[in-house]
Amino acid sequence: MTWDNTNLFADDKPTDLAFRKEVRQWMEENVPLDLCHRPDRLTPADLKPWHRKLYDKGWVAPHWSKESGGMGATLTQQIILFEEMARLGVPTPFPHGLNFFGPILIEAGTPEQKAQHLPSILTGDCTWCQGYSESEAGSDLASLQTTAVLEGDHFIVNGHKLWTTNGHHADWMFALVRTDPQAQPRHAGITMLLIDLKLPGITIEPIQTMRGDAEFAQEHFDNVRVPVKNMIGKINEGWKIANMVLGSERFTTGHPRNAAVLLNRTRMMAEISGAIVDPIFRHQLAQLEMDLLAFSAFYHHAAELHALGKAPMSMAPVIKISGGEIGQKASELLMHAAGPLGLLSDNLKTPEGLVNIPADLFEMRRLTVGSGAVEIQRNVIAKRVLELGA
Amino acid sequence: MEPILNDLQIQLRDSAKRLCKDFGGAVVYRQRHQHQGVTNAWQQIMKAGWTGLLVSDEHNGLGLGLYELALILDEAGQHLWHEPVAASCAGAYVLSKTNQSNHLKHVLEDGVMVLPVCVDVEDTYNNRQSAPVLQNSGDHLVLNGLVRFVSFVNLESLLLISVIDEQGRHALVSLSAKAMGVLLTRHARLDDSLVSDIEFKDVEIQSQDILAWDDTAIQLIEEMKTILRVGISAQLLGLSHAALEMTLEHLRIRKQFGKPLASFQALQHQCVNGYLDIELNRSLLYRTSMAWDKHQSHPAMISALKARTSRSALAITRSAVQLHGAMGYTHEHNIGLYYKQAVVWASEQGNDVYHAHRFSALTLNVEPFAWTTQS
């Protein structure tokens, strides 16, 4: 029996099988080949035509309700769409508008805000970024210090946002700002604002990552006037709103396929370098493949429970920690397996297309830091699941 | 996360919970050396019909699957219950598959313990054992050989033995433990359980005692091993879960430096790592069992399950003893029993290193290189 680590414990029901078949056929006919299996980082501009094509097909926002212009898909259908794109190595559209902000807007936006922003998120015409982190507010997000002071029908925003993915490519930012400096607990004084990044007083600088490219940026706000109508929900309710929509997005960002791709690349490079016959290398690979198998079991178990509305709160941090750490270890074993080839900066031509092993290694470092470091996720489990506290 | 269960499965789990609580636990563990052969617990298992769990309805079994067996043994592990449920289920399953209705009746109705005796010759840690050999001796067949460290054998047991003949053909043989020429030598283990070395000295084998030959025999033996491996993995999972729970409770109560141990992040994260392992392994156990029941499992999944549950049980119980401090090191405190049981079960049916190698062999199509040094 052959071992396919990209398809472990997948068990489509008959109706899902039909959907998968339809998706697979359409993807094979429509994916832009120049975007597939690219070792370099793609920008929102690169993805725009593909985003638009998915929009025209009606598949760009599977998790949004039909009334909001989405597909109203089941979780399984959302996973199938992700898997079929991953199978061909084509990227999914950037998640900041579609997955992070869109659901918040649908849940908490006014009719005017929805009318203004939902259509351009769907078409991909507007690129969004998430303005949460600051220099003094990373893991401890509630201590953020960018202020917004109400003056008539505008907020005057001053401060600094940092580590903003696509900040230098984005048109708009959904940001958390401090509207009550005295509030206790601190997260009670936070508000969510939508900021047009072309407003006067905003300067944006891209930041180079260790990969050598600009994935994120920093933004300075100097007396930026943001209309009150751009506030989401009520003043000082930003924390609640930001945490309102969480959970199902983990099923795409945390899909076990992400680590499977790296492990298969590791296997291929080990065959090229010769490491594949080394018993100790094989043992290391087996450990990671077994971890991936267990993680895949957990993932499908979680998806089934989530669809029944029975997924526990621990699900999201477990997926985040396990998926991130397996992916990270896989990138390290990949570097190890490739030997001297792994050290070369230029893309390598391989039977599976172009690969860049240092890029994989460096890219994986962010998996355990971004959107909640794994240490914070462990604290969450300790306090809220295992009931270990002060 | 809880496995997804139907009403019947919930009932089964609840009755397992009750039974394991009443007839298992640390007190019973500490009396193990006084109880050999048929215990109260075993009589309860018989009454519940669990030995026939994997036997189909038409053979008077419960007609359930590995998923349900895993549910029961997950509970058993939590209560340090070591009765040979998986072994008997595996044995009864094979008796039903080979239409041994007489033997099956004794097992299901009279409480005869049926035990697989399968040497895993690929297991590097098996003490260089090989399967007993079936030889021609005049007009009949005789069995010779030694199989070591078999759990729970007593004179009333029915043995299902994996053997080879002089041509290297595989066969599966049934034999009473009190047959002429069968010699049992017992050893106590560190968890107060008993294992036996079974020596076969010119044991006469009747043709009706050979249940299967060749590929059929190989497949039945493989199925028995799978049931045993999944069964002990379920026990390891349950044991890990219980040891972690006990440790969490200790951390919440015990104070040092004026605050509960539970407030120290270094200790919290040790527990979270154990929790993560248990969460993934629980899903792995139930998804793998489900796949086996639907004939969709891959043999490498079984090795992954045994390797991971063994490795985590050792890590979790090691950390549990550590976090209990000096009390953890005493004979008196029960946390040590979980550690000992983990050490034994992690080794049984193949340890994590063997199963990682088996996993590699089953998933890679290139042979490993044999290292040599040139002189």
Side-chain angles (χ1 to χ4, degrees), chain A residues 1 3 9 11 267 277 279 282-283 287 289-291 293-294 298 301 304 314 378-379 386-387 389-390, chain B residues 1-2 252 263 265 269 273 275 283 287 294 297-298 304 308 311 356 359-360 363-364 366 368-369 371:
Chain A
M1 285 166 96
W3 183 255
F9 295 117
D11 190 11
R267 203 186 280 240
V277 300
R282 290 160 70 95
H283 195 77
Q287 297 295 345
E289 289 279 7
M290 296 191 299
D291 290 348
L293 178 72
F298 181 88
H301 186 175
E304 204 172 333
S314 60
R378 281 185 165 83
N379 290 349
L386 304 184
E387 294 169 16
Chain B
M1 290 185 307
E2 289 291 309
R252 289 182 202 119
S263 62
Q265 196 185 35
H269 283 199
N273 288 340
Y275 170 81
S283 297
R287 294 277 138 173
K294 289 180 175 175
S297 70
H298 187 290
R308 275 190 55 100
R311 189 155 42 100
F359 181 94
S360 273
T363 54
L364 296 175
V366 188
F369 176 73
W371 291 101

Side-chain angles (χ1 to χ4, degrees), chain A residues 284-296:
Chain A
Q284 292 168 332
L285 179 63
Q287 297 295 345
L288 282 181
E289 289 279 7
M290 296 191 299
D291 290 348
L292 175 64
L293 178 72
F295 178 55
S296 303

Side-chain angles (χ1 to χ4, degrees), chain A residues 82-248:
Chain A
F82 173 83
E83 287 174 346
E84 292 304 317
M85 285 194 248
R87 197 177 78 89
L88 300 176
V90 68
T92 47
F94 279 102
H96 306 89
L98 285 167
N99 297 355
F100 301 164
F101 177 53
I104 291 176
L105 184 59
I106 291 168
E107 192 75 22
T110 62
E112 294 74 29
Q113 287 168 340
K114 291 186 201 181
Q116 184 184 358
H117 296 297
L118 286 179
S120 59
I121 294 176
L122 282 169
T123 57
D125 289 333
C126 182
T127 298
W128 283 81
C129 65
Q130 173 179 293
Y132 286 6
S133 294
E134 299 178 3
S135 53
E136 298 306 318
S139 291
D140 182 13
L141 186 59
S143 68
L144 60 89
Q145 290 167 359
T146 296
T147 56
V149 178
L150 196 55
E151 254 189 47
D153 55 0
H154 281 78
F155 283 104
I156 312 301
V157 178
N158 278 288
H160 174 218
K161 290 286 173 188
L162 196 60
W163 319 133
T164 318
T165 296
N166 285 340
H168 49 310
H169 299 301
D171 306 301
W172 280 77
M173 168 187 280
F174 59 106
L176 292 178
V177 294
R178 180 154 301 285
T179 36
D180 182 353
Q182 264 76 51
Q184 286 298 335
R186 288 167 307 167
H187 57 68
I190 289 172
T191 301
M192 183 177 284
L193 293 183
L194 309 184
I195 303 175
D196 180 347
L197 294 175
K198 286 182 287 294
L199 287 174
I202 302 177
T203 45
I204 302 175
E205 297 159 30
I207 303 171
Q208 296 279 306
T209 68
M210 64 157 52
R211 249 182 91 162
D213 57 6
E215 191 264 352
F216 44 29
Q218 58 180 330
E219 302 82 22
H220 294 275
F221 299 88
D222 183 11
N223 289 319
V224 178
R225 293 174 64 81
V226 177
V228 171
K229 68 179 174 66
N230 285 0
M231 175 169 64
I232 297 284
K234 296 200 181 97
I235 195 157
N236 295 330
E237 281 192 353
W239 189 262
K240 201 176 81 194
I241 290 165
N243 285 295
M244 172 183 277
V245 193
L246 279 179
S248 70

Side-chain angles (χ1 to χ4, degrees), chain B residues 182-254:
Chain B
V182 178
L183 294 165
L184 302 180
T185 313
R186 279 187 166 164
H187 310 280
R189 291 192 302 189
L190 61 89
D191 64 341
D192 290 342
S193 64
L194 294 172
V195 286
S196 302
D197 294 343
I198 312 176
E199 194 174 0
F200 304 100
K201 269 192 165 167
D202 291 328
V203 183
E204 206 169 308
I205 302 293
Q206 310 297 329
S207 60
Q208 70 265 26
D209 296 331
I210 302 179
L211 306 190
W213 280 104
D214 301 323
D215 287 351
T216 317
I218 291 171
Q219 179 171 347
L220 289 170
I221 291 159
E222 209 48 46
E223 283 181 290
M224 285 202 290
K225 282 190 200 160
T226 296
I227 296 164
L228 290 168
R229 286 163 176 165
V230 172
I232 203 144
S233 299
Q235 289 169 232
L236 282 160
L237 173 73
L239 172 148
S240 305
H241 175 74
L244 179 65
E245 286 293 321
M246 209 164 156
T247 307
L248 294 173
E249 195 51 32
H250 175 71
L251 295 186
R252 289 182 202 119
I253 293 166
R254 172 82 174 158

Side-chain angles (χ1 to χ4, degrees), chain A residues 8 36 79 117 162 173 226 249 342 366 385:
Chain A
L8 300 165
C36 292
I79 294 173
H117 296 297
L162 196 60
M173 168 187 280
V226 177
E249 111 235 357
R366 63 192 280 257
V385 184

